[in-house]
Amino acid sequence: MSDELQVLGACPLDCPDTCSWVVTVSGGEAVKMRGNPDHPYTRGALCVKVNRYLEQTRAADRLLHPMRRVGPKGSGEFERITWDEALEEISVRLRAIVDEHGGEAIWPYNGTGSLGYLQGCEGVAGRRFWNVLGASRHHLNICSAAGNAGLTEINGTPGGMDPEDFASSRLILLWGTNTLTSGHHLWKFVQDARAAGAHVVAVDPIRTRTAEQADEHLPIRPGTDAALALGLLHVVLAEGAEDRDYLERHTEGWEAFREEILRHPPERVAEITGLPEEDVRALGLRLARTRPTGIRATMGIQRHAGGGAALRALAAIPAVTGDWRRPGGGIAYSTSGHIHLDIDHRDDLLARPVRTLTMTRLASELDESVKCLWVYGANPVGSSPDQNRIRERLLREDLFTVVMEQFATDTVDYADLVLPATMQTEHLDLHAGYGHMYLLWNEPAVPPPGECLSTTETFRRLARHMGLTEPSLFDSDLELAEQLLSSGHPSLDGITVDRLRKEGWVRLSVPRPFLPFADGFPTPSGRLRFPSGPAYVPPRTVTAAAARETYPLVLVTPASHTFLNTTFGNNPELRRRSKGPRVLVNPADAAARGLASGQRARVFNDDGAFEAEVEVTETVRPGVVASTKGHWRKLSPGGSTVNAVVGEHDADLGRGATYHDNLVEVAPA
């Protein structure tokens, strides 16, 4: 008889698809992982990255034991210590910091390395512990903050259409999203729509894998998406194709917004976006005449100074056309707005209100007032803006830095203590995709290697070692999961921990097809609120006229096909496939700078520089260069990555990050 077990789990990584997977365990070892064929969204397929997940769990450079720094900060030199030694040193240091400086001198810096509701950034991981100590709050704004704020302002929620309903769309606008790299499972539903006659348009400054497969590609200037949306709506109004009944019943502020649309005729929009006027007009006509139209926009579209306005403008389209009435109509940005788990951070444990520190402002906010930086699920040296200043701040001898990690990332090199963390096949977690309508359960398939501990267990042990007595600090993972499912929201009807553990995933209790705004919106008035005032906020690359004289190229830093943020950035095979840091340069820009494919170049501005191999290509429009994120600094030529040239700037809403809003120059290295 075979001793093989099939263990159901879920991918924890920062991707909208949140795949359901099946791990085959034989002899106590995970020997195979595949996408769950029974899951309606995963449909048996994993991505090129996660297909190597089991290999990653067994990698030779996996961190397996607690470690203490023995060399200078930044050297990456450590010695192995016991968990008792680590917990004792942490306990002494944290108590001294709280006693001398107050709890706000501690910055718990949590990132999107896991989107779990137990072990990751979505839920309760560590928050109760930090509240007992009175630590500063952490504003996790690195990913989707501007878009979430923009959609919430207009719709009352960032939640939108069910991505599975794109199969019913007849016009699909893939707007600022590279579906085949960053969430490829949606493509199956796009293909279903195309088989029924749908037309697919990619709006993207780069001719990505997705744009190559679309019926039409509009290479827009980065950050001008709101202007294009207004221009398309101008054509809709000219055709008399607005849904006047829907506008009257379910929106407010229409007349003022209509005037804003009329100030953006196609000829003006063409000048702003760099698109031919005839292309703007043609897509506007197609939008006016095609029902339903589905818009897919993901996080890349809002990483500039006008990111919140961009999502507001896109969200206005289905309100004007009335597509929210129809299956396959609307906009899908993040389904997380439809998730109603009971996330109880126990903020009542705070003795008094505390300050909030912002994730993407680490370089400027990691000042003398911060005495402890505790990093988990994050690699800020590799992922956050203003890389060079972050490295300088981490060298402070009076800063106690603890990093919970699986591998020796660029950030680990600056730690005082390193705590070994479990990976997804080794701990329990609860997940919800932000690109579909399912809750997923992750059952641990194998025991953790070495002395690795889960995030929840690490904080339980630390609370016990410090002598803390608040009972909720010691809730088990199963108890935490039960609490999460206890909100009483109708979307959770019939969903229990027992059911999730047995089935692996459950669709939210919502109708199919899902028409969230057919009859109104979750706003105080029950209506969509069209924005007042200017609906297009130009990017910094447009408004910083003086900087353009010295740095005339716009740099965008899209997702890599082989890494997920910096996760997998140390995997030898995926590094080989990535071909190292590269910068895409249009032939006209390359000729003006004496650049040729295969040549090493320096990409720079006043914030810093990084080196990359040039690829001369028409996949980027003139005036735009592109280089993917995810490479590790210490594994890159010159010891820097793209974030060395990304400054600390906020988007218009939500203090969102502005990774695609940078001016640079490129020269031979």
Side-chain angles (χ1 to χ4, degrees), residues 319-341:
V320 175
T321 62
D323 273 312
W324 283 121
R325 298 180 189 267
R326 305 173 179 90
I331 182 171
Y333 176 70
S334 172
T335 56
S336 59
H338 302 307
I339 308 300
H340 297 281
L341 299 176

Side-chain angles (χ1 to χ4, degrees), residues 141-364:
N141 67 322
I142 201 165
C143 185
S144 55
N148 282 339
L151 287 169
T152 300
E153 188 174 299
I154 189 170
N155 287 346
T157 172
M161 63 184 287
D162 180 351
E164 292 182 53
D165 287 340
F166 276 101
S168 300
S169 303
R170 289 301 168 262
L171 174 61
I172 296 176
L173 305 181
L174 300 174
W175 205 317
T177 182
N178 185 5
T179 302
L180 290 173
T181 283
S182 301
H184 71 90
H185 294 82
L186 179 69
W187 196 251
K188 300 181 181 73
F189 301 97
V190 173
Q191 288 177 313
D192 291 342
R194 288 176 106 172
H199 185 79
V200 179
V201 181
V203 182
D204 200 301
I206 308 171
R207 192 167 181 81
T208 62
R209 291 169 182 261
T210 303
E212 288 278 1
Q213 296 297 318
D215 298 307
E216 186 178 349
H217 172 219
L218 297 184
I220 192 171
R221 283 193 183 118
T224 62
D225 307 276
L228 177 58
L230 294 169
L232 299 181
L233 288 175
H234 190 284
V235 179
V236 170
L237 294 186
E239 292 292 301
E242 69 271 28
D243 188 328
R244 296 176 185 177
D245 178 71
Y246 191 86
L247 288 167
E248 182 178 346
R249 289 173 179 267
H250 300 303
T251 73
E252 60 186 4
W254 167 238
E255 286 305 318
F257 186 66
R258 182 177 181 276
E259 292 302 313
E260 179 70 359
I261 293 171
L262 295 178
R263 286 190 283 271
H264 289 80
E267 57 270 24
R268 182 188 177 198
V269 168
E271 293 177 2
I272 295 171
T273 62
L275 297 172
E277 180 184 338
E278 57 268 26
D279 289 355
V280 176
R281 197 175 298 278
L283 182 57
L285 288 171
R286 190 181 290 274
L287 173 64
R289 298 167 182 173
T290 309
R291 306 272 72 76
T293 291
I295 303 170
R296 175 61 163 171
T298 51
M299 286 62 213
I301 193 176
Q302 44 90 68
R303 290 182 177 144
H304 57 84
L311 265 297
R312 284 189 318 203
L314 264 64
I317 293 175
V320 175
T321 62
D323 273 312
W324 283 121
R325 298 180 189 267
R326 305 173 179 90
I331 182 171
Y333 176 70
S334 172
T335 56
S336 59
H338 302 307
I339 308 300
H340 297 281
L341 299 176
D342 188 6
I343 304 172
D344 187 1
H345 294 137
R346 291 298 309 275
D347 289 340
D348 61 299
L349 298 175
L350 285 166
R352 59 180 180 81
V354 296
R355 66 178 178 176
T356 297
L357 299 171
T358 301
M359 187 175 195
T360 57
R361 290 282 179 165
L362 182 63
S364 56

Side-chain angles (χ1 to χ4, degrees), residues 616-632:
V616 179
T617 174
E618 292 186 349
T619 59
V620 288
R621 57 175 295 136
V624 174
V625 294
S627 189
T628 56
K629 63 180 179 178
H631 294 279
W632 286 20

Side-chain angles (χ1 to χ4, degrees), residues 83-104:
W83 264 105
D84 280 343
E85 289 174 310
L87 293 173
E88 179 63 19
E89 183 168 344
I90 291 168
S91 297
V92 170
R93 295 290 295 269
L94 289 184
R95 286 205 177 279
I97 289 170
V98 172
D99 289 345
E100 184 174 353
H101 305 284
E104 286 179 295

